[in-house]
Amino acid sequence: MSEFINNVSRRKETLKEALRQIHAGKPYEEVKQTFAEILQQASAGEIAEIEQALIAEGLPVEDIQYLCDVHVAMFRESLDQQTPPQMMPGHPVYTFNAENELAALQLNQCRQLLGQAQDNPKAETLAQLAAALQKLAEFDCHYERKENLLFPFLEKYGFSGPSSVMWGIHDDIRKAWKSMRKQLQDAGADPSAALAAVSEKFIPMENAMREMFYKEEHILFPNALERLNASDWRAIHAQEPDFGFAFVVRGAQWPPDEQPVEIETAIGDAIINKEKQERMNEMNEFPLTTGDLTLSQINLMLTHLPVDITFVDENDIVRYFSETPTRIFKRTPAIIGRKVQNCHPPASVHKVVEIVEDFRAGKRDSAEFWIQMNGMFIHIQYFAMRDVSGNYRGTLEVSQEISALRKLEGEKRLLDD
């Protein structure tokens, strides 16, 4: 098989065949032995591209997610030989890796406290374990930054495989966090049974998190550094505070300072251009169905509505979201230009696809949901947008927190205090 090692295209096809055999049920050790020589040559980029190619060929994302750890195990010898890139404090990759190191320590503490609680299942030890698991769940902002910042930028370069597979694993970990905390909260008079349930969830959750640390360091981040340019990383860096950081304070050494003259020039140009654009927005009026408005007025109206708005065009591309003062669901500029299918977890994306396809086919004009989240009662509506000829032009999502509205009774006149 050595004739394939220096032929990248043929090597990828051979590696794909190895994964296909795994998915078909062939014993892992047998496949690894057959393809041992070529497996040692696989790079992080090839592994990610192969999984993405298998998805494109129709292999369900759920199947790849289920066997993701097997894939990594097959290539681990090759990946261990590759030196992870070193970044400066403040670079998004450096921050991601620092969070992983501290999350590993938090996992160690949770495992230790779980053992102590099993040996001494009293209220105090259960409370300590619950607090440690609550602390661990703060790591969710790490996953949110991946899903809402890093993944969209990778998708712009046609690299969407990690978005589908990793997001599903994130959601499995989130479910385990929630379930374990609920078990401890409801322990009541039978703490031993609660601890047994927690232990059953903890082991696969811990394995999933630690495997994700490895996949990020050896596959995701090297691929991201290879594809994204300095401007992309700066854009990610600028939007990271919207989601926060887990266990760390972001470093300040990156991005490196520019020359003072260049900064001054850039800032000056930006101010001039912004002022010019604002003047143009104020001057130019656009004729609407029932009036004329400037761009500034339109923008002010959209940002002052008591609802969150997101617009997806007829090609399923996210084109706009309103930046209201208190958004319910986080949005960042990184999602503009992203396929709406990539903006939702794998477990629920099929519902979004069904709604959009029904809108496109004219089977329905709206869809309505309501959920309870973090003490809020959220009303979500989707509307099909059609032009005067009835052609589908996109989908409008409107979300509103309506807890206060649901409590209204009687009436209040306009001039009442």
Side-chain angles (χ1 to χ4, degrees):
M1 198 169 291
S2 59
E3 68 269 22
F4 293 151
I5 291 177
N6 295 320
N7 187 316
V8 175
S9 179
R10 295 183 69 184
R11 182 163 73 245
K12 287 182 181 178
E13 286 303 315
T14 306
L15 291 170
K16 282 167 64 177
E17 178 57 30
L19 294 184
R20 288 192 192 99
Q21 291 186 17
I22 287 288
H23 283 262
K26 196 168 184 178
Y28 161 71
E29 290 298 337
E30 184 178 336
V31 174
K32 185 175 180 181
Q33 183 176 1
T34 302
F35 295 91
E37 185 177 2
I38 200 167
L39 288 172
Q40 294 177 5
Q41 305 297 320
S43 69
E46 288 173 344
I47 296 167
E49 288 170 5
I50 289 164
E51 287 194 346
Q52 184 164 318
L54 290 172
I55 294 174
E57 291 174 8
L59 191 66
V61 172
E62 293 79 6
D63 288 359
I64 292 185
Q65 179 183 326
Y66 179 71
L67 292 173
C68 191
D69 291 344
V70 177
H71 294 180
V72 173
M74 286 182 63
F75 299 112
R76 190 176 288 266
E77 185 175 345
S78 171
L79 293 173
D80 286 342
Q81 295 172 2
Q82 300 172 23
T83 303
Q86 299 298 314
M87 309 306 298
M88 295 176 64
H91 190 284
V93 169
Y94 185 99
T95 306
F96 276 130
N97 282 327
E99 288 178 324
N100 281 342
E101 291 178 11
L102 293 177
L105 296 178
Q106 187 64 27
L107 277 169
N108 293 344
Q109 183 182 22
C110 288
R111 189 182 341 108
Q112 180 181 0
L113 288 170
L114 176 58
Q116 292 174 2
Q118 289 171 326
D119 294 337
N120 183 22
K122 293 184 178 179
E124 182 180 356
T125 54
L126 264 66
Q128 291 174 342
L129 175 58
L133 289 172
Q134 182 68 38
K135 181 73 174 176
L136 181 64
E138 294 177 12
F139 192 67
D140 191 32
C141 64
H142 177 103
Y143 295 147
E144 287 188 336
R145 295 204 317 278
K146 280 174 63 181
E147 295 160 355
N148 295 283
L149 294 178
L150 184 56
F151 288 169
F153 276 92
L154 284 170
E155 289 160 13
K156 291 177 182 178
Y157 293 92
F159 193 68
S160 59
S163 308
S164 305
V165 178
M166 286 189 169
W167 199 333
I169 296 173
H170 297 168
D171 281 349
D172 288 344
I173 293 170
R174 288 167 171 139
K175 290 174 185 175
W177 290 339
K178 183 177 180 180
S179 175
M180 288 186 292
R181 297 199 304 270
K182 184 72 164 56
Q183 291 286 350
L184 291 174
Q185 181 182 341
D186 298 341
D190 194 0
S192 296
L195 287 168
V198 169
S199 179
E200 184 178 354
K201 293 282 187 182
F202 183 84
I203 295 171
M205 179 277 299
E206 180 183 21
N207 290 340
M209 286 191 67
R210 293 189 188 278
E211 284 297 316
M212 187 62 75
F213 299 158
Y214 186 91
K215 293 165 193 168
E216 289 180 3
E217 181 179 353
H218 289 86
I219 299 177
L220 179 66
F221 297 151
N223 274 286
L225 289 167
E226 181 181 332
R227 287 166 170 78
L228 273 57
N229 58 39
S231 177
D232 296 329
W233 288 116
R234 284 176 180 272
I236 291 173
H237 181 272
Q239 297 171 67
E240 285 183 312
D242 292 339
F243 296 93
F245 306 93
F247 319 130
V248 303
V249 175
R250 186 174 65 176
Q253 292 178 237
W254 192 94
D257 291 336
E258 304 287 351
Q259 293 297 323
V261 174
E262 293 179 1
I263 289 181
E264 190 174 310
T265 302
I267 292 175
D269 290 344
I271 291 173
I272 292 171
N273 290 334
K274 184 177 181 181
E275 289 178 349
K276 182 179 179 181
Q277 186 63 52
E278 287 178 350
R279 288 197 300 271
M280 294 293 290
N281 290 348
E282 289 287 356
M283 293 170 55
N284 295 330
E285 290 189 345
F286 293 85
L288 304 175
T289 305
T290 55
D292 301 329
L293 293 173
T294 66
L295 279 176
S296 293
Q297 290 169 335
I298 293 171
N299 189 60
L300 284 170
M301 287 176 59
L302 290 171
T303 55
H304 281 75
L305 289 173
V307 295
D308 292 354
I309 293 174
T310 303
F311 172 62
V312 179
D313 72 12
E314 64 267 34
N315 298 313
D316 299 346
I317 303 296
V318 178
R319 293 297 182 189
Y320 172 83
F321 66 89
S322 58
E323 290 189 290
T324 53
T326 55
R327 278 202 66 90
I328 301 167
F329 301 109
K330 292 178 181 177
R331 298 280 191 271
T332 65
I335 72 165
I336 301 300
R338 193 182 193 190
K339 279 280 190 180
V340 68
Q341 291 86 347
N342 294 333
C343 298
H344 295 267
S348 62
V349 69
H350 67 285
K351 292 291 186 183
V352 176
V353 172
E354 180 182 350
I355 292 170
V356 172
E357 289 305 316
D358 282 353
F359 285 176
R360 183 176 283 109
K363 294 181 179 179
R364 67 167 94 180
D365 292 316
S366 64
E368 183 180 33
F369 311 90
W370 48 92
I371 61 173
Q372 298 185 53
M373 181 182 75
N374 300 328
M376 297 184 292
F377 195 96
I378 303 168
H379 187 231
I380 305 167
Q381 295 172 287
Y382 289 84
F383 300 99
M385 298 183 64
R386 308 187 192 281
D387 60 25
V388 293
S389 300
N391 300 311
Y392 172 72
R393 299 302 303 274
T395 295
L396 185 68
E397 179 193 67
V398 180
S399 303
Q400 184 175 15
E401 207 287 290
I402 61 171
S403 297
L405 295 179
R406 297 178 75 222
K407 297 176 182 178
L408 293 179
E409 294 181 353
E411 61 180 27
K412 179 180 180 181
R413 299 289 181 171
L414 183 62
L415 297 179
D416 288 348
D417 292 332

